[in-house]
């Protein structure tokens, strides 16, 4: 009798212990899940990226990209007919689809190889962001045996890559004067800020991925759209799984660096050439006038006066801060965008009234590339405008 009681007590103790272990495991899982959800959908008030609208590691919850049946995509592109091809790239062939949309069909060797085909569905669903006038957004995805397709917003007719505008056959014809270049820089920066604010880094910021409707660029933000964002998360091997929010800060810093390179393209009209452009231009930008004048693309026209020279100097100093600083001390895209928006607005005021002061509130923005953790002495050297 006593033995049976002891055995019953023993079983009861074991059951209670097992229940406690299960309860602890469930509690730990729920805690981990809640933290992950909070990090992925924390909005502007979340931690890790600051509350300045740039996003940093902040991700705002957005509905995932819809999955479009492959049969519908094939009907919209006439079975991926060659007559529908509107673009060719190393990774995708682009087909005209429904009005305002294009289908980017991944090349077969990427579908069958690694990591492109394997990572495609999960990586693409993480790229959903709300529409923005400065983004050629990804609006859906489609897949089937041997097929991976992106559905993207199609840029307006007449839009071309910034590289084609700057380097069209090497001619010396005047092209993209300074006011339009200011609009292109500001519009592209706004598009990148929007991506970062929703937890997405571009990954391949370069002139060919900045689409410009040259006729509309000076009229409003819809003249400039950033395209092909986020594709590096599944097209290239790395240590992550294509949806690694922990690496967003580093990717966003890399976006800032590459955007600084785009600014150098706009300012100089020269190609990157493996980084030689930066080695040539940055010392001249640091030196200020008259050395700075050697950097500027003559095809855009000489600065009309000292006021325009100051606007170009501000833009050059932004490029310097983006490219010359190490990752931890680079400005955030929101800070870069604030200055370029101000430069663009100054050009608009200048167009309405040539006598209007176009300094654009120099004191208000002269230090906005500095965060409290950054070295004021180093930043002062980089960002102070020459007098």
């Amino acid at each position: 009798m006593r033995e049976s009681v002891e055995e019953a007590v023993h079983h009861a103790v074991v059951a209670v212990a097992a229940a406690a272990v299960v309860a602890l495991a469930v509690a730990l899982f729920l805690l981990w899940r809640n933290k992950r959800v909070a990090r992925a959908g924390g909005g502007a008030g979340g931690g890790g990226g600051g509350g300045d609208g740039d996003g940093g590691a902040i991700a705002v919850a957005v509905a995932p990209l819809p999955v479009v049946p492959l049969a519908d995509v094939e009907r919209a592109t006439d079975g991926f007919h060659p007559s529908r091809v509107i673009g060719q790239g190393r990774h995708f062939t682009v087909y005209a689809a429904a009005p305002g949309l294009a289908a980017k069909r991944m090349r077969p060797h990427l579908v069958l190889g690694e990591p492109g085909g394997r990572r495609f569905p999960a990586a693409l669903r993480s790229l959903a962001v709300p529409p923005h006038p400065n983004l050629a957004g990804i609006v859906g995805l489609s897949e089937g045996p041997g097929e991976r397709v992106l559905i993207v917003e199609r840029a307006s007719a007449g839009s071309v890559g910034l590289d084609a505008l700057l380097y069209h056959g090497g001619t010396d014809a005047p092209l993209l004067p300074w006011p339009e270049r200011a609009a292109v820089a500001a519009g592209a920066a706004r598009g990148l800020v929007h991506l970062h604010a929703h937890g997405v880094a571009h990954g391949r910021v370069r002139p060919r991925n900045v689409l410009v409707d040259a006729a509309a660029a000076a009229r409003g933000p819809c003249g400039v759209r950033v395209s092909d964002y986020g594709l590096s998360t599944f097209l290239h091997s790395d240590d992550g799984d294509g949806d690694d929010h922990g690496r967003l800060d580093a990717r966003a810093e890399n976006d800032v660096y590459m955007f600084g390179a785009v600014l150098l393209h706009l300012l100089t009209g020269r190609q990157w050439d493996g980084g030689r452009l930066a080695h040539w231009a940055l010392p001249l930008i640091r030196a200020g006038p008259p050395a700075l004048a050697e950097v500027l693309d003559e095809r855009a026209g000489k600065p009309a006066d000292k006021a325009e020279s100051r606007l170009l100097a501000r833009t050059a100093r932004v490029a310097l801060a983006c490219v010359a600083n190490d990752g931890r001390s680079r400005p955030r895209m929101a800070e870069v965008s604030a200055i370029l928006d101000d430069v663009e607005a100054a050009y608009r005021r200048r167009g309405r009234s040539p006598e209007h002061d176009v300094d654009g509130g120099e004191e208000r923005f002269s230090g906005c590339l500095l965060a409290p953790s950054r070295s004021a002495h180093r930043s002062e050297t980089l960002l102070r405008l020459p007098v």
Side-chain angles (χ1 to χ4, degrees):
M1 179 69 177
R2 183 176 178 180
E3 291 180 356
S4 63
V5 171
E6 289 178 350
E7 186 176 357
V9 171
H10 174 73
H11 286 309
V13 170
V14 171
V16 169
V21 170
V22 172
L24 179 61
V26 170
L28 290 175
F29 171 77
L30 292 175
L31 179 62
W32 171 83
R33 187 185 66 175
N34 290 340
K35 286 184 176 180
R36 184 175 179 87
V37 170
R39 183 175 64 178
D52 59 1
D54 191 15
I58 297 171
V60 178
V62 180
L65 289 171
V67 177
V68 180
L70 183 61
D72 291 350
V73 179
E74 290 176 335
R75 277 193 294 270
T77 59
D78 295 332
F80 299 113
H81 195 274
S83 65
R84 289 285 210 164
V85 173
I86 57 175
Q88 296 272 6
R90 187 171 56 163
H91 302 116
F92 296 92
T93 301
V94 187
Y95 297 81
L101 298 176
K104 297 179 66 109
R105 185 189 193 190
M106 190 184 291
R107 294 196 177 276
H109 72 278
L110 291 171
V111 176
L112 301 175
E114 296 291 344
R118 175 175 60 84
R119 292 183 177 177
F120 179 88
L124 260 293
R125 291 187 180 97
S126 71
L127 298 182
V129 298
H132 189 276
N134 295 119
L135 276 184
I138 301 173
V139 299
L141 64 132
S142 184
E143 58 179 333
E147 294 287 358
R148 302 288 187 273
V149 184
L150 302 176
I151 311 301
V152 301
E153 291 180 313
R154 187 176 174 183
S156 58
S159 291
V160 296
L162 179 59
D163 58 332
L165 287 176
L166 292 177
Y167 318 119
H168 62 115
T171 66
D172 294 327
L175 181 55
L176 279 184
W178 294 122
E180 292 187 13
R181 296 192 192 206
V184 169
R190 286 191 293 268
L192 291 173
V193 169
H194 184 72
L195 282 178
H196 290 184
H198 291 86
V200 176
H202 190 291
R204 296 176 68 82
V205 182
R206 55 191 61 189
R208 69 177 299 172
N209 291 332
V210 178
L211 305 179
V212 181
D213 181 348
R219 296 198 303 267
C222 290
V224 184
R225 287 192 170 194
V226 177
S227 68
D228 288 348
Y229 58 85
L231 303 188
S232 60
T233 60
F234 66 93
L235 287 175
H236 305 284
S237 297
D238 56 29
D239 295 330
D241 60 2
D243 188 22
D244 184 5
H245 289 283
R247 298 188 60 198
L248 177 60
D249 281 337
R251 289 170 177 162
E253 289 169 2
N254 197 42
D255 280 357
V256 172
Y257 178 89
M258 291 188 287
F259 181 76
V262 170
L263 286 181
L264 289 179
H265 283 265
L266 279 166
L267 286 164
T268 67
R270 302 190 182 197
Q271 301 196 42
W272 186 244
D273 194 18
R276 293 183 180 87
L277 174 59
H279 290 300
W280 168 74
L282 296 187
L284 296 173
I285 294 173
R286 286 192 185 97
L292 179 62
E294 298 180 32
V295 170
L296 302 179
D297 187 357
E298 293 182 353
R299 297 174 304 163
K302 293 184 177 181
D305 48 37
K306 290 183 178 180
E308 184 170 27
S309 294
R310 285 194 290 271
L311 290 176
L312 294 173
R314 290 181 70 188
T315 304
R317 286 287 170 174
V318 172
L320 177 63
C322 293
V323 174
N325 285 348
D326 60 48
R328 290 171 296 178
S329 58
R330 283 177 199 142
R332 295 183 179 90
M333 275 310 308
E335 298 170 311
V336 170
S337 181
I339 293 180
L340 296 179
D341 280 347
D342 192 60
V343 171
E344 180 189 28
Y347 266 112
R348 292 186 186 282
R349 292 193 300 270
R350 183 182 180 86
R352 290 194 298 266
S353 174
E355 290 79 25
H356 200 290
D357 178 19
V358 298
D359 283 352
E362 187 68 44
E363 296 79 8
R364 183 161 56 96
F365 284 103
S366 60
C368 78
L369 296 189
L370 309 182
S373 62
R374 298 180 188 143
S375 165
H377 175 74
R378 173 171 174 75
S379 303
E380 205 172 74
T381 303
L382 287 174
L383 302 177
R384 181 184 296 161
L385 292 177
V387 293

